[in-house]
Amino acid sequence: MSIEKTRPPHGGHGDQGITVLLRRMHDAVALEASAQQRLDHLTKAIASHVVADVCSIYLRRPDDDLELYSTEGLNREAVHKTRLKWGEGLTGLVAESHRPLVTDDAPHHPAFAYRPETGEEALHSFLGVPLIRSGKTLGVLVVQNKAARKYSDDEVEAAQAVATLLAEISASGELLSREETAVVGEMLHRPERLKGIAIVSGIASGRAVYLRPPAPKHNVFSSDVAGEAARLEEGLNNLRASVDAMIAENASLSGVSREVLETYRLFAYDRSWKDRLRAAVFSGLTAESAVEQVQNENRARMMQARDPYLRERLHDLDDLAHRLLRFLSGEKNGGQRALYQETILVAQQMGPAELLEYDRDVLKGLVLGEVSATSHVAIVARALKIPMVTGLGEAINRCEEGDEVIVDGDAGEIHVRPTSDVIETYRSKRELQSERQAAFASEKDLPSVTKDGVNVTIMMNAGLAFDMPHLKETGAQGVGLFRTELQFLVGSQLPSVSSQEMLYREVLDLADGLPVIFRTADIGGDKTASYMDHGKELNPAMGWRGLRMAVDRPGLIRPQLRALLAAAANRTLYIMFPMVTLAEEIDDARALLDREIERAERQNKALPNDIKIGAMIETPAAAWRVGQIAEKVDFLSVGGNDLAQFYFAADRDCERVQRRFDPMNPGFLSFLRDCAVKAAKTEAPLSYCGEQASDPVMAAALLGLGITNFSMPATAVGPFRRMTRSLNAGHISQWFDEILPQPRESIREEFTAFLRVNSVVVE
Ligand code: PEP
Ligand code: MG
């Protein structure tokens, strides 16, 4: 078989092949004939274009069987007779796995299923690609050859491009009969329950807004080539004008940010991109289908690029293509999406700053492709109490723009287009939840003391003034971690000293005398501010961030310290430094603070009554030498999110590796215990402010390790207090003496059983 190669993303050699095939497909679909005849012509067009002995199209039926709908090369009597179960035979395997399958020895493949009526025994080579639309397999395109040969990656890619188009046509009503199209529509729109991973608890419902263009509801082919070409031209003009306007609005940007925008503009004006879009339109595609076709080719090419910079550029190209599609659909503004009154945002990825840009009154829930519980977007979502589910992978595409969606952030699943039964179930679940919240609220003034008399301090984490009312609602004893960087991430420029001071003063006022520990801006890692030039870092989490950046760039931290000193005038100020690695770094940070104190004194400004300095213990180096760090500060706080990331060498933003390492690993717990023991020998109290404290089983373990001060998301405070009051920390500590030295990946199961036997309330 030889399928013409797709072109490189921009430029590259002329490519008549795919254009010719598209035109043939167009002609087949436009035929005045029965649906079956049109489909047969299409199969023929593909088969004659590729040097294949057999080309077949299988379509999915409502019972999920795959039925042979058309073939060129197999016995024609088999059409509408041969059926394969989902997962049966090579074709069924392609459907089930949603992936292409290639083999040069089909008869000996373990999944091979022989169907005598097709006469396919003499065929050795097999290439099957799924017809995917909105994340669902609608059928399979199969190409076979007698000779044993290996299909190349390019051939597989090209077959995928044809399959994408076939899936589009199947759903568009341009190919199948009206009844068949209705069956496909039914398949695409049936209710679904998708299992993922719970990241932020709570239940939300609303309509899906996809942070990618919706699956297009437009025709694939058009007979009015001139009209489509004119629409394309107009769309491109609008797109370019919008990119120019965006660059003009951000004229003050410099460095990398500027470069990124300029590259973006270059792509928008790229001549060969336009030429390829026009060629696709002239082959008979609608302008929208042309954009998708060209973008599919780009994606296939760029996904293979080794150069991470090039791969990154794929986002630019995707974004441009999406904007162009929106302009083509008549939207005036190709940028920001309009939201529903109750919106569920669905996206493959999202950063914390991006999330903060959305209107919180209408944003009810989040469904993200792959993020971990300790990623910053998750932390922000938790702070905003926006239920969130992740880990859906490709299944994320199964919900379409405007679909009704329920996000269950407790069970870690979403319901797309739920039935009335499911809606009703969730309505009562929500009621139960509010009862549970009410029960926790009624316990908020109960002392947090363990059964064996250990006093536990429970504070909460915050990052926005918006969080502060949770103090009273939960009965938290203060803010143990105020992530000041959130203010830095929202705007398009560094916040002014006065706006920082205003926020800190407001927060202190709202805390009403309870302590607030302000962590200086921990920018870097996944928390990049658009106006900061971070340079190119391969490992940003271990790069220039936190205290490292602060001491190198006093221009960032000194105004912040100035704002903190002013806001806390005549009160106690707690300042905490993030990402401390060596004790000596504290000296540098203190020196900057001293300079700000002197400055305030010179200007006769009122100062705080007392200033307490803290260090975050979030690198193994700091945990190992916690005693030395303690000598230089007033208090310590373990940032378990980062500490676990560095202990396991597992990116906290990568769900795949996060799932591999449970913080309830006895090695990590021993490491934490060692750190707590070392800290206990110093004057500086140690607390724990990582997200792990919101996992009740892990939180119970932390109490057993001897940690007694905590700061956690507001939602975790109630369950944590209840758990604390039901356990005996001494018993856990003894049990740990025995169990922690033993080799285990995780002690979660045995520890959960231990807690259950001892009637500890973990829910
Ligand atoms: C941590 O690392 O545990 C922490 C609390 O800081 P952040 O999550 O903001 O990095
Ligand atoms: Mg951290």
Side-chain angles (χ1 to χ4, degrees):
M1 185 187 88
S2 130
I3 295 177
E4 288 287 339
K5 290 182 179 181
T6 49
R7 266 163 292 201
H10 278 278
H13 299 297
D15 175 9
Q16 292 308 305
I18 202 90
T19 311
V20 170
L21 176 55
L22 289 175
R23 193 167 303 137
R24 283 196 193 148
M25 288 174 76
H26 173 210
D27 293 345
V29 171
L31 269 183
E32 288 285 340
S34 71
Q36 182 66 49
Q37 284 165 331
R38 290 202 300 260
L39 188 60
D40 289 344
H41 268 91
L42 196 92
T43 316
K44 204 172 190 155
I46 301 171
S48 76
H49 186 80
V50 303
V51 185
D53 297 315
V54 168
C55 175
S56 314
I57 295 173
Y58 290 81
L59 291 182
R60 180 176 180 177
R61 307 307 301 143
D63 58 4
D64 286 344
D65 275 4
L66 293 158
E67 182 174 317
L68 179 63
Y69 253 69
S70 179
T71 184
E72 188 64 23
L74 293 182
N75 290 340
R76 298 196 64 79
E77 293 76 55
V79 171
H80 296 303
K81 288 209 185 71
T82 294
R83 275 187 166 226
L84 290 156
K85 291 253 163 270
W86 199 248
E88 184 192 3
L90 300 181
T91 305
L93 197 59
V94 171
E96 189 184 56
S97 66
H98 301 270
R99 293 223 161 77
L101 179 81
V102 185
T103 172
D104 57 355
D105 189 8
H108 290 105
H109 191 285
F112 183 72
Y114 178 55
R115 287 284 189 276
E117 71 275 14
T118 61
E120 64 179 333
E121 61 272 27
L123 297 160
H124 282 97
S125 311
F126 175 101
L127 161 60
V129 284
L131 273 48
I132 295 182
R133 172 116 197 288
S134 302
K136 290 195 195 99
T137 299
L138 298 182
V140 179
L141 169 69
V142 175
V143 170
Q144 290 168 286
N145 276 79
K146 287 188 184 134
R149 55 164 304 225
K150 282 216 155 55
Y151 300 110
S152 71
D153 288 350
D154 283 348
E155 287 170 328
V156 178
E157 258 173 41
Q160 276 178 295
V162 171
T164 307
L165 211 55
L166 265 176
E168 273 300 303
I169 307 171
S170 312
S172 71
E174 290 179 272
L175 180 66
L176 303 174
S177 66
R178 193 178 300 169
E179 297 75 47
E180 297 290 1
T181 308
V183 168
V184 172
E186 159 72 15
M187 216 134 64
L188 287 172
H189 295 108
R190 60 189 175 201
E192 294 211 54
R193 168 173 172 255
L194 304 173
K195 187 79 192 122
I197 297 164
I199 298 286
V200 179
S201 70
I203 291 161
S205 62
R207 293 197 173 275
V209 169
Y210 224 103
L211 290 190
R212 270 198 355 208
K217 295 183 177 67
H218 53 74
N219 289 341
V220 179
F221 296 114
S222 158
S223 48
D224 179 11
V225 170
E228 286 304 302
R231 285 183 62 232
L232 177 69
E233 189 72 33
E234 189 190 338
L236 275 170
N237 287 342
N238 285 335
L239 171 74
R240 290 169 175 180
S242 78
V243 173
D244 288 342
M246 181 175 87
I247 292 182
E249 275 165 28
N250 293 288
S252 56
L253 285 185
S254 58
V256 174
S257 318
R258 177 97 215 155
E259 210 179 279
V260 166
L261 285 188
E262 287 299 347
T263 316
Y264 194 74
R265 170 152 51 190
L266 258 170
F267 281 141
Y269 278 87
D270 186 278
R271 181 82 227 162
S272 67
W273 185 44
K274 181 173 175 179
D275 288 348
R276 291 166 61 216
L277 289 169
R278 280 175 61 82
V281 162
F282 280 106
S283 75
L285 293 184
T286 55
E288 285 89 346
S289 290
V291 175
E292 273 153 15
Q293 181 65 37
V294 169
Q295 193 51 18
N296 279 343
E297 292 170 18
N298 286 348
R299 210 171 284 132
R301 286 279 151 200
M302 291 185 96
M303 289 304 283
Q304 287 182 351
R306 290 242 165 75
D307 182 348
Y309 179 77
L310 255 188
R311 291 182 60 132
E312 220 13 70
R313 296 283 68 77
L314 181 57
H315 295 307
D316 292 349
L317 287 173
D318 268 338
D319 192 42
L320 277 176
H322 299 164
R323 274 174 189 254
L324 182 50
L325 281 174
R326 290 194 200 115
F327 279 121
L328 287 170
S329 74
E331 265 182 52
K332 290 277 167 295
N333 172 5
Q336 183 89 52
R337 312 300 313 279
L339 301 185
Y340 296 96
Q341 259 331 85
E342 298 194 319
T343 293
I344 305 292
L345 271 188
V346 184
Q348 206 49 259
Q349 270 186 344
M350 186 189 252
E354 218 175 337
L355 174 56
L356 287 167
E357 278 169 14
Y358 285 90
D359 179 353
R360 271 164 237 141
D361 288 339
V362 298
L363 179 53
K364 302 294 178 197
L366 278 169
V367 181
L368 296 188
E370 290 283 331
V371 295
S372 80
T374 57
S375 66
H376 286 106
V377 66
I379 288 168
V380 173
R382 208 168 281 129
L384 301 176
K385 293 196 173 158
I386 304 175
M388 170 164 147
V389 168
T390 181
L392 295 167
E394 280 303 306
I396 206 172
N397 297 319
R398 295 199 188 190
C399 65
E400 287 192 35
E401 186 82 4
D403 274 345
E404 190 75 40
V405 176
I406 295 176
V407 178
D408 183 340
D410 301 321
E413 59 190 32
I414 68 166
H415 295 263
V416 184
R417 301 171 289 270
T419 58
S420 51
D421 289 357
V422 173
I423 295 175
E424 181 50 32
T425 309
Y426 273 96
R427 204 188 50 72
S428 37
K429 218 168 166 177
R430 265 179 160 170
E431 262 172 32
L432 271 177
Q433 248 184 11
S434 31
E435 281 167 20
R436 206 170 107 90
Q437 291 301 338
F440 284 131
S442 71
E443 294 168 15
K444 73 184 170 64
D445 296 322
L446 294 179
S448 36
V449 183
T450 65
K451 280 195 154 162
D452 52 339
V454 179
N455 271 310
V456 178
T457 310
I458 313 178
M459 300 218 203
M460 67 169 214
N461 296 345
L464 308 158
F466 186 84
D467 292 320
M468 298 307 288
H470 302 327
L471 262 183
K472 286 218 168 65
E473 289 158 23
T474 60
Q477 292 158 275
V479 175
L481 167 67
F482 191 92
R483 292 181 164 101
T484 60
E485 62 275 3
L486 293 190
Q487 190 189 20
F488 288 69
L489 301 181
V490 194
S492 57
Q493 55 194 15
L494 205 67
S496 64
V497 179
S498 59
S499 65
Q500 291 184 56
E501 184 186 327
M502 221 158 71
L503 170 68
Y504 305 149
R505 179 167 292 118
E506 188 186 355
V507 166
L508 286 169
D509 289 346
L510 289 168
D512 202 14
L514 290 176
V516 178
I517 298 178
F518 290 98
R519 178 185 61 192
T520 57
D522 184 14
I523 298 177
D526 68 335
K527 292 180 279 193
T528 48
S530 55
Y531 47 85
M532 293 280 299
D533 180 357
H534 294 265
K536 212 171 158 190
E537 289 185 321
L538 284 181
N539 291 301
M542 295 193 284
W544 196 51
R545 56 171 285 202
L547 187 57
R548 303 162 182 194
M549 183 191 283
V551 294
D552 286 355
R553 285 282 152 86
L556 179 78
I557 193 170
R558 282 192 56 187
Q560 181 172 34
L561 295 172
R562 198 173 307 151
L564 284 166
L565 288 170
N570 305 318
R571 326 190 218 207
T572 302
L573 173 62
Y574 296 87
I575 301 179
M576 179 158 77
F577 297 115
M579 271 300 278
V580 176
T581 311
L582 306 176
E584 292 70 21
E585 289 170 319
I586 305 284
D587 299 333
D588 298 336
R590 248 188 205 280
L592 293 172
L593 179 62
D594 287 343
R595 285 175 66 182
E596 280 309 315
I597 295 174
E598 281 160 24
R599 184 178 195 271
E601 279 169 349
R602 269 201 316 276
Q603 295 178 352
N604 286 327
K605 295 219 168 119
L607 280 167
N609 296 335
D610 195 4
I611 302 176
K612 302 269 185 220
I613 304 287
M616 285 195 77
I617 305 300
E618 38 188 1
T619 62
W624 185 245
R625 293 266 176 156
V626 68
Q628 294 187 1
I629 291 174
E631 281 169 22
K632 297 189 182 269
V633 294
D634 302 299
F635 62 95
L636 302 158
S637 187
V638 176
N641 306 330
D642 275 312
L643 190 57
Q645 149 167 276
F646 298 125
Y647 177 87
F648 293 110
D651 187 342
R652 63 191 269 187
D653 284 315
C654 174
E655 181 55 35
R656 209 178 298 160
V657 291
Q658 280 301 308
R659 254 178 272 161
R660 264 185 126 86
F661 305 104
D662 188 347
M664 298 224 41
N665 164 275
F668 185 57
L669 294 176
S670 313
F671 179 64
L672 289 176
R673 189 188 230 186
D674 178 74
C675 178
V677 168
K678 281 179 181 158
K681 292 187 185 137
T682 73
E683 300 282 302
L686 175 123
S687 74
Y688 196 97
C689 66
E691 299 294 299
Q692 292 99 352
S694 55
D695 164 2
V697 177
M698 178 71 185
L702 293 169
L703 282 165
L705 296 177
I707 299 172
T708 55
N709 302 310
F710 292 87
S711 186
M712 61 191 67
T715 44
V717 172
F720 183 90
R721 183 186 294 106
R722 196 180 279 179
M723 183 268 293
T724 300
R725 291 170 52 80
S726 72
L727 67 64
N728 183 315
H731 282 170
I732 300 178
S733 180
Q734 277 165 16
W735 189 76
F736 276 174
D737 288 342
E738 238 176 79
I739 209 93
L740 292 188
Q742 297 182 29
R744 296 272 196 292
E745 262 187 45
S746 164
I747 58 161
R748 184 173 292 276
E749 270 182 34
E750 347 175 26
F751 186 54
T752 309
F754 174 90
L755 295 176
R756 203 171 300 127
V757 170
N758 288 284
S759 310
V760 178
V761 188
V762 280
E763 37 178 299

